[in-house]
């Protein structure tokens, strides 16, 4: 898994490192699009229920859960990182750049490419984390309609693209494990 290679970021004692870790964790945990991620505000986070209110295409909003690693990265960012970058232009943006403004889409693409460079995934963009989240949900037995809702797809056909990878893994598992394969 790529996250073992990214974990050293958690010990970086600068706000950008904490923010970068959060970006990676949230992209994978929520399957959010980059535009959805950078559009998050502080009030979009339900800390108690570990949910994000994400605004997707067509200004449609959905609630997306996130797990414990993302919750820990979020807590670390809020406690030790965001305040160091925040200023009067920060408003309520969750993710901030080094100037205290809302983090931009291009910045996320660049930082994800940089962070994934030395991992088994290799150079990849944020969409690869969205793809991984969807594939792992399906591999774990999640219902296709639930994954559709999770990703904010308006069409089930768009979500079905991810089933191809899961079917290939199923075939491999069958060949390796079934005595009559």
């Amino acid at each position: 898994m790529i996250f073992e290679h990214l974990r050293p970021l958690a010990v970086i004692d600068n706000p950008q490192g904490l923010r970068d870790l959060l970006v990676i964790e949230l992209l994978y945990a929520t399957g959010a699009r980059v535009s959805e991620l950078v559009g998050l505000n502080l009030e979009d986070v339900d800390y108690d229920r570990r949910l994000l209110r994400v605004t997707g295409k067509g200004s449609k909003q959905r609630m997306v859960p996130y797990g414990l690693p993302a919750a820990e990265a979020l807590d670390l960012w809020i406690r030790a990182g965001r305040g160091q970058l925040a200023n009067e232009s920060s408003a309520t943006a969750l993710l901030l750049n080094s100037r205290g403004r809302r983090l931009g889409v291009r910045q996320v693409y660049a930082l994800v490419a940089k962070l994934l460079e030395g991992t088994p995934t290799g150079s990849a963009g944020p969409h690869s984390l969205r793809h991984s989240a969807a594939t792992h949900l399906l591999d774990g037995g999640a219902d296709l309609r639930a994954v559709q809702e999770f990703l904010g797809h308006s069409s089930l056909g768009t979500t079905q693209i991810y089933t191809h990878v899961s079917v290939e893994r199923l075939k491999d598992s069958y060949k390796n494990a079934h005595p009559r394969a």
Side-chain angles (χ1 to χ4, degrees):
M1 190 80 174
I2 62 172
F3 293 99
E4 286 79 43
H5 301 280
L6 296 174
R7 273 291 160 210
L9 282 174
V11 297
I12 294 176
D13 61 357
N14 69 61
Q16 289 86 355
L18 297 175
R19 180 211 51 219
D20 294 354
L21 175 64
L22 177 59
V23 165
I24 295 292
E25 288 289 356
L26 285 180
L27 284 172
Y28 176 68
T30 66
R33 297 173 181 96
V34 175
S35 58
E36 295 170 340
L37 182 77
V38 299
L40 288 171
N41 291 315
L42 294 169
E43 64 267 14
D44 293 328
V45 181
D46 182 338
Y47 297 95
D48 295 331
R49 297 187 311 162
R50 288 202 316 234
L51 292 170
L52 293 179
R53 182 179 50 238
V54 175
T55 304
K57 291 181 176 181
S59 297
K60 286 193 249 172
Q61 290 190 337
R62 65 186 190 282
M63 297 302 287
V64 182
Y66 58 90
L68 188 57
E72 290 170 350
L74 180 59
D75 181 59
L76 200 53
W77 164 246
I78 296 298
R79 278 189 303 104
R82 188 181 183 283
Q84 292 184 52
L85 297 179
N87 59 37
E88 64 280 346
S89 65
S90 302
T92 62
L94 176 64
L95 298 168
L96 305 175
N97 64 22
S98 59
R99 293 186 174 162
R101 295 189 188 113
R102 184 179 297 276
L103 191 65
V105 169
R106 283 184 171 174
Q107 291 169 303
V108 172
Y109 272 88
L111 82 85
V112 170
K114 183 184 97 184
L115 292 174
L116 293 180
E117 220 168 54
T119 69
T121 304
S123 184
H127 195 77
S128 64
L129 295 171
R130 179 173 165 85
H131 180 82
S132 293
T135 302
H136 293 154
L137 283 168
L138 290 168
D139 284 349
D143 176 71
L144 189 61
R145 289 238 182 246
V147 175
Q148 175 188 5
E149 178 67 26
F150 181 77
L151 296 174
H153 287 158
S154 55
S155 163
L156 190 60
T158 307
T159 312
Q160 285 177 319
I161 293 166
Y162 299 108
T163 61
H164 173 71
V165 176
S166 295
V167 169
E168 290 305 313
R169 285 192 185 154
L170 176 62
K171 285 180 185 177
D172 289 342
S173 295
Y174 179 80
K175 286 178 187 173
N176 292 329
H178 198 283
R180 295 189 183 241

